[in-house]
Amino acid sequence: MQETAFSLTLQPRFCETDALGHINNTVIPVWFEAAREPIFKIFNPTQDLSKWNLIVAGFTIAFNAPTYFASDITVKTWVSRIGNSSFELTQSCWQNGKKTAEAQTTMVHYDYATEKSQPLSESIREQLAMLTGE
């Protein structure tokens, strides 16, 4: 498991398992969203939903191996691309030293009032740049 910009360790819950005995594939995207909180704080430090300024433009996820109950998982997150008003995050889910899933999520700096993307400020670009690399 490689070190990345930041990580979140979670303990899978019994209710997140499916009939096949592993974590349901619908759960892992929720874990990835939880691990994006440090990114949310760059854009909205107070987490004030009335001032929310990010939107998910899309994501892809690859499931590399089953993830199981009763063993912690670690979600690694880093910035893999910075554009004019958008950026991409790469996230991976690790359990017992094995990568079980990986996702790419495109986030857009967004003004909900005008329903338009907004350019990333230089300050935000600098903070995102500090989170690049795997």
Side-chain angles (χ1 to χ4, degrees):
M1 183 169 26
Q2 297 179 336
E3 291 302 314
T4 60
F6 56 94
S7 65
L8 174 67
T9 300
L10 299 167
Q11 183 177 24
R13 300 175 302 171
F14 179 76
C15 67
E16 294 170 325
T17 60
D18 62 17
L20 299 174
H22 54 71
I23 300 301
N24 190 285
N25 289 347
T26 63
V27 171
I28 293 174
V30 175
W31 290 349
F32 285 153
E33 181 184 37
R36 291 195 294 266
E37 188 172 335
I39 296 292
F40 299 158
K41 288 182 178 179
I42 290 172
F43 286 83
N44 190 335
T46 64
Q47 303 287 283
D48 182 346
L49 294 180
S50 70
K51 297 177 183 175
W52 204 255
N53 53 5
L54 284 175
I55 194 167
V56 173
F59 72 92
T60 60
I61 188 167
F63 298 99
N64 305 89
T67 306
Y68 295 99
F69 172 70
S71 184
D72 285 356
I73 63 97
T74 301
V75 177
K76 300 283 187 176
T77 302
W78 63 96
V79 176
S80 47
R81 181 188 63 77
I82 302 172
N84 293 323
S85 60
S86 66
F87 59 98
E88 181 179 80
L89 296 174
T90 299
Q91 296 179 283
S92 55
C93 181
W94 294 83
Q95 188 174 55
N96 299 322
K98 185 177 196 178
K99 182 167 58 172
T100 63
E102 184 171 77
Q104 283 72 43
T105 303
T106 301
M107 306 286 300
V108 177
H109 187 217
Y110 191 76
D111 182 333
Y112 283 87
T114 63
E115 297 184 341
K116 295 185 188 238
S117 63
Q118 299 295 306
L120 299 171
S121 70
E122 192 57 38
S123 171
I124 287 177
R125 287 177 172 288
E126 290 171 3
Q127 291 176 74
L128 292 174
M130 292 176 17
L131 302 173
T132 60
E134 187 175 349

